[in-house]
Structures are given as structure tokens and as C-alpha cells.
Amino acid sequence: MNMAQLSNPTLEVRNLERWLGEGDGRTHILRGLNFSLERGKTYSVTGPSGCGKSTLLYLLGLLDTPDRGEIILDGRRVDNASEAERTRLRGEIIGFVFQFHFLLVEFTALENVMLPMLKLKRWSEQECRQRALRLLNDVGLGAKTQRMANQLSGGGATKGCCGQSSGQ
Ligand SMILES: Nc1ncnc2c1ncn2[C@@H]1O[C@H](COP(=O)(O)OP(=O)(O)OP(=O)(O)O)[C@@H](O)[C@H]1O
Ligand SMILES: [Mg+2]
């Protein structure tokens, strides 16, 4: 598929560049990426360790900003949006599952899933609870909704929520 020819791409990247590191260690990680992704399709980013997959995903997730190039979401440029707007987009339309998770240890699994929904103030607490229960059930955690976050398995990062894992 020629991804540059999609008529209504939901996510588009143009000439994306990212440098990382300081001084002599400064490295050109992403050297001008161009692609378009279509709504409703699933894509994967593959490549050897250190090739820049996480660097790219952090940019697409609006957790980092590119040194050059553009990120266009539903036809709107977002890489240079204000921090407040990027925060809103992250909270409302971007889902990001970190390899090293960032669950809040003072809260249960259910509360961790409910919190971002409550913050949007779009649904009642009861609706958020129902939705969170459904989502946890969908991923096989229906029996563990009341477990504190640090009592859940972490897929390799099981020592609380701050266990180290290689890569992201
Ligand atoms: N903060 C940083 N400062 C300097 N270099 C960095 C920094 N973060 C990452 N790098 C380097 O950038 C390159 C890309 O890293 P990145 O984490 O994106 O790779 P990756 O493809 O996700 O690797 P993996 O498969 O191991 O997760 C690597 O060579 C890494 O060493
Ligand atoms: Mg990575």
C-alpha cells in the first residue's frame, strides 16, 4: 500500500526528524519520516532495538515534540499545538500503553481506570465505574478490580509500579 496516497488519513507524519542526546552523543534518530495511517486499521512499528520505535511513538502520542516536521491528526497539525491542547488530546483521544506502566499505587485497578474518565467530567461517577468495570473485564481483569495497582502483575515489571524493564 502506498500510505502517502490515502485520501483521508487519520494520522499523518511529514518529514519528521528527532535528535536525541547532548554534545558529542547527539544522534539523529528519526531522519525524515513520511507516512499516513488510515482509520480503523491496525499498524505495528517494527525494527531492531534502538532504531527509534519508542522515539517515534512518543512523538505520535504527543509526549515529545519533533525537531522538524509535522504530525497531523484528523487533518489538523498537532505537533506545535499549545501544551494545554496537547494535554487535552492525550487525555481525550490518545491511548498509550507503556511497556513500563505508570499506574498510581495508592489506587485500585478500578480506580486507576476510572480516574482519566472522571477527569473529563463527561460522565457520572456511576457511568465511569460501569465503563471501567467493562473494560477491565474485557482484558481479563474482572476478578482483580479491587486489587491495589502494585498487587497486579506487570509483565516483567512486577515490583510495584516503578519496577524497571528494558526498553519501552
Ligand atoms: N534521552 C536520550 N538521549 C540520547 N539518546 C537516546 C535517548 N533516548 C533514546 N536514545 C537513543 O535513541 C535511539 C532510539 O531509541 P528508542 O528508545 O526509540 O529505540 P527503540 O527502537 O524503541 O528500541 P527498543 O526496541 O529497545 O525499545 C537509541 O539508540 C537510544 O540509545
Ligand atoms: Mg522501545
Side-chain angles (χ1 to χ4, degrees), residues 38-109:
E38 203 174 348
R39 185 179 302 282
K41 296 216 165 148
T42 303
Y43 298 88
S44 52
V45 182
T46 62
S49 181
C51 73
K53 303 179 295 292
S54 292
T55 305
L56 171 64
L57 291 176
Y58 272 64
L59 291 171
L60 299 183
L62 306 187
L63 294 160
D64 186 20
T65 47
D67 292 299
R68 226 179 254 162
E70 300 177 6
I71 299 170
I72 298 153
L73 196 56
D74 282 330
R76 228 189 88 219
R77 189 165 171 194
V78 289
D79 59 276
N80 60 357
S82 69
E83 200 43 53
E85 177 62 0
R86 288 158 60 85
T87 300
R88 187 188 71 78
L89 290 166
R90 282 197 302 268
E92 294 191 15
I93 67 167
I94 296 174
F96 202 110
V97 179
F98 295 90
Q99 182 173 341
F100 162 41
H101 64 75
F102 293 94
L103 296 172
L104 302 173
V105 285
E106 300 88 349
F107 296 95
T108 64

Side-chain angles (χ1 to χ4, degrees), residues 21-35:
E22 304 291 330
D24 288 348
R26 196 158 156 79
T27 316
H28 202 183
I29 310 289
L30 303 179
R31 308 175 190 187
L33 290 183
N34 288 281
F35 59 80

Side-chain angles (χ1 to χ4, degrees), residues 12 23 34 42 50 58 66 69 79 103 115 120 128 145 158 164:
E12 205 176 343
N34 288 281
T42 303
Y58 272 64
D79 59 276
L103 296 172
L115 277 170
L120 287 178
C128 291
T145 59
T158 52
Q164 296 297 316

Side-chain angles (χ1 to χ4, degrees), residues 97 109 113 132-145:
V97 179
V113 179
L133 284 170
R134 197 168 63 243
L135 290 169
L136 283 163
N137 206 41
D138 286 351
V139 296
L141 287 172
K144 298 185 178 169
T145 59

